[in-house]
């Protein structure tokens, strides 16, 4: 039985030169960069640029990790490399500027706006038969997914599987939450994105992760690892073990495995860890899951560990929406900016300035589809999800 390999890179600080060396050893252990890209390929490096945010917020992929990836591609001889994301709020350029990414420090990789829509039909889709991708995704011969280790209100965690939703162009993301209205069916749509695109390698920035009210308003917490694999489900599964979450409870894992984009079975995952050799170089050595969890695991990581209710209808309809956790606004933290209102995808708005713009917006829970776009985009951490914090006791 062929196993999916996940490489664990121990790393406590954001240092591009060291990350570059360790990442090079990790990819060599997976057969080398040539297993994933060709020198002449049109390559897209896809970080997590949720919104224009400071690097130390852990909202976005850290620039030192992004630079290490494009540095590797440059040294391999790839001359047609772009990097970018379609942020939920703000622009790709604003996100890159906030992180200090410039033409001078990205080794020839070009920032691309990711704002031009390209309609794509997918006849083989198990759940999604069409996508509104950005032009860059459709044109890419290979995509490297450089995701961030974070919690997520809808899918519990966001990592390698979820990060590809940034392939969808702009406001079409909001429409997707209406079309795929619960965690399971949304996860199936994400799996179809993986099946439809040329995503060849997954690199998860977990040096400093985000716990709690993620993916945009949580708390940075050190996990001291980078995870690397060609299997997105396996990457997210290792993430789950590190934070003491049953991988089977994560919709993106369960649906991703069921749809054949990867494995969440620990017996089908081979682990290797990057170690320093006597020469000062780095190499990959076999590792056991129990040892990795013992060394890098955080059972106190603030993440929802409550099993979601499942019904036959939950996969096909929004019937169970009324039973799911509700977002709510902390009036003391709200600055009345209206970003939550603007990002609500529901026709007629499930959150609006019902009491006037001088007061915090108000939810109509009869309309709310529990997509948590409002919570995800709130710039002041004023929107939280009831019952979302479940620390290990």
């Amino acid at each position: 039985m062929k196993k999916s390999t996940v490489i664990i890179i121990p790393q406590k600080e954001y240092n591009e030169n060291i990350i570059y060396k360790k990442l090079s050893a990790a990819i060599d252990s997976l057969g080398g960069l040539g297993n994933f890209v060709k020198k002449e390929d049109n390559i897209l490096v896809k970080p997590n640029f949720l919104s224009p945010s400071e690097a130390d917020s852990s909202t976005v992929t850290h620039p030192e990790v992004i630079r290490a990836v494009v540095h590797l591609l440059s040294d391999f001889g790839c001359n047609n490399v772009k990097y970018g994301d379609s942020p939920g709020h703000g622009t790709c350029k604003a996100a890159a500027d906030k992180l200090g990414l410039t033409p001078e420090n990205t080794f020839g990789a070009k920032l691309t706006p990711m704002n031009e829509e390209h309609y794509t039909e997918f006849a083989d889709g198990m759940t999604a038969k069409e996508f509104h991708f950005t032009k860059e995704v459709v044109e890419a011969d290979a995509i490297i997914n450089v995701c961030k280790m974070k919690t997520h209100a809808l899918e519990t965690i966001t990592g390698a599987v979820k990060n590809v939703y940034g392939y969808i162009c702009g406001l079409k993301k909001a429409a997707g939450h209406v079309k795929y209205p619960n965690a399971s069916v949304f996860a199936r749509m994400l799996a179809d994105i993986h099946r439809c695109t040329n995503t060849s390698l997954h690199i998860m920035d977990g040096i400093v992760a985000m716990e709690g009210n993620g993916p945009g308003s949580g708390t940075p917490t050190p996990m001291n690892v980078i995870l690397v694999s060609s299997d997105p489900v396996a990457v997210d599964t290792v993430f789950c073990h590190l934070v003491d979450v049953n991988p089977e409870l994560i919709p993106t894992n369960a649906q991703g495995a069921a749809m054949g984009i990867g494995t969440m079975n620990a017996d089908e995952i081979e682990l290797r860890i990057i170690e320093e050799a006597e020469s000062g170089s780095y190499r990959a050595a076999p590792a056991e899951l129990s040892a990795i969890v013992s060394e890098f695991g955080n059972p106190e990581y603030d993440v929802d560990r409550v099993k979601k209710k499942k019904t036959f209808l939950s996969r096909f309809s929004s019937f169970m929406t009324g039973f799911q956790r509700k977002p709510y606004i902390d009036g003391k933290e709200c600055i009345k900016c209206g970003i939550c209102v603007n990002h609500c995808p529901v026709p007629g708005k499930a959150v609006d300035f019902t009491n006037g713009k001088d007061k915090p917006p108000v939810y109509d829970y009869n309309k709310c589809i529990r997509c948590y776009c409002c919570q995800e985009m709130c710039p002041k951490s004023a929107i939280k999800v009831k019952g979302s914090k479940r620390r290990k006791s």
Side-chain angles (χ1 to χ4, degrees):
M1 178 185 65
K2 184 177 180 181
K3 294 186 175 183
S4 292
T5 302
V6 178
I7 312 294
I8 292 89
I9 300 176
Q11 182 64 22
K12 291 185 177 180
E13 61 180 355
Y14 286 106
N15 181 306
E16 186 257 311
N17 289 328
I18 297 175
I19 294 170
Y20 167 88
K21 293 174 182 177
K22 291 183 177 181
L23 194 55
S24 178
I27 294 173
D28 283 347
S29 181
L30 294 173
L33 201 51
N35 258 4
F36 306 103
V37 299
K38 297 182 178 67
K39 294 179 181 180
E40 65 273 15
D41 278 351
N42 183 356
I43 300 168
L44 175 64
V45 174
K46 164 57 174 78
N48 185 321
F49 283 171
L50 177 66
S51 62
S53 304
E54 299 289 349
D56 60 5
S57 71
S58 292
T59 301
V60 293
T61 307
H62 199 281
E64 296 293 283
V65 177
I66 298 170
R67 278 197 281 265
V69 174
V70 296
H71 189 175
L72 281 168
L73 290 168
S74 175
D75 282 0
F76 186 65
C78 300
N79 296 315
N80 193 7
V81 179
K82 300 181 180 71
Y83 72 96
D85 191 7
S86 181
H89 174 61
T91 66
C92 186
K93 185 178 186 308
D97 288 347
K98 197 80 170 179
L99 296 175
L101 295 168
T102 69
E104 292 75 30
N105 65 20
T106 49
F107 300 92
K110 297 177 181 178
L111 178 67
T112 189
M114 301 278 280
N115 60 5
E116 185 177 331
E117 180 184 333
H118 192 291
Y119 175 76
T120 303
E121 293 184 345
F122 185 43
D124 293 333
M126 295 181 178
T127 292
K129 299 291 186 180
E130 60 180 11
F131 295 106
H132 296 270
F133 291 134
T134 69
K135 172 177 65 73
E136 294 86 351
V137 170
V138 175
E139 292 177 347
D141 299 306
I143 304 174
I144 297 179
N145 176 17
V146 191
C147 56
K148 187 73 178 178
M149 183 183 284
K150 299 191 289 183
T151 49
H152 194 271
L154 179 64
E155 301 293 348
T156 306
I157 66 163
T158 175
V161 175
K162 172 66 174 60
N163 196 47
V164 300
Y165 200 49
Y167 296 179
I168 304 298
C169 191
L171 294 177
K172 295 296 183 181
K173 289 193 187 72
H177 282 286
V178 176
K179 189 172 184 179
Y180 308 102
N182 59 60
S184 290
V185 73
F186 192 84
R188 290 180 63 81
M189 177 274 298
L190 292 170
D192 270 333
I193 292 179
H194 282 269
R195 296 176 63 242
C196 183
T197 58
N198 299 318
T199 310
S200 57
L201 183 63
H202 308 274
I203 299 168
M204 178 183 283
D205 170 14
I207 297 175
V208 180
M210 177 179 282
E211 64 177 351
N213 196 36
S217 300
T219 304
T221 186
M223 291 298 292
N224 302 319
V225 294
I226 296 172
L227 306 180
V228 185
S229 183
S230 61
D231 181 335
V233 178
V235 168
D236 289 355
T237 294
V238 173
F239 171 16
C240 288
H241 284 293
L242 289 173
V243 298
D244 199 26
V245 171
N246 182 350
E248 296 179 6
L249 300 184
I250 306 302
T252 48
N253 284 343
Q255 300 301 335
M259 293 171 65
I261 68 167
T263 182
M264 62 176 176
N265 186 338
D267 293 336
E268 297 174 357
I269 299 174
E270 176 188 358
L271 297 178
R272 300 174 193 165
I273 187 168
I274 297 301
E275 298 177 339
E276 188 171 3
E278 290 182 3
S279 62
S281 61
Y282 295 95
R283 64 187 176 193
E288 295 296 327
L289 180 60
S290 58
I292 294 299
V293 171
S294 177
E295 184 172 358
F296 301 103
N298 178 9
E300 295 299 317
Y301 189 89
D302 188 358
V303 61
D304 190 353
R305 295 183 175 87
V306 176
K307 185 175 181 179
K308 307 295 189 298
K309 293 181 180 180
K310 286 186 176 181
T311 70
F312 175 79
L313 288 172
S314 68
R315 177 174 160 185
F316 301 102
S317 76
S318 57
F319 176 78
M320 293 298 292
T321 295
F323 300 94
Q324 295 174 8
R325 298 170 298 138
K326 297 178 180 178
Y328 69 96
I329 296 173
D330 182 341
K332 294 180 181 178
E333 300 293 332
C334 179
I335 60 172
K336 308 172 191 67
C337 63
I339 288 176
C340 58
V341 176
N342 293 337
H343 280 82
C344 178
V346 178
K349 300 295 182 182
V351 58
D352 208 347
F353 286 108
T354 305
N355 297 328
K357 292 188 176 182
D358 59 334
K359 296 181 180 179
V362 176
Y363 283 98
D364 181 344
Y365 290 116
N366 290 324
K367 292 181 180 179
C368 180
I369 62 173
R370 313 301 197 266
C371 65
Y372 311 113
C373 289
C374 54
Q375 175 261 358
E376 187 168 328
M377 289 295 105
C378 179
K380 294 297 180 180
S381 305
I383 301 179
K384 301 174 178 64
V385 179
K386 290 183 179 179
S388 63
K389 291 189 176 182
R390 293 291 187 273
R391 286 190 180 274
K392 183 73 172 177
S393 60

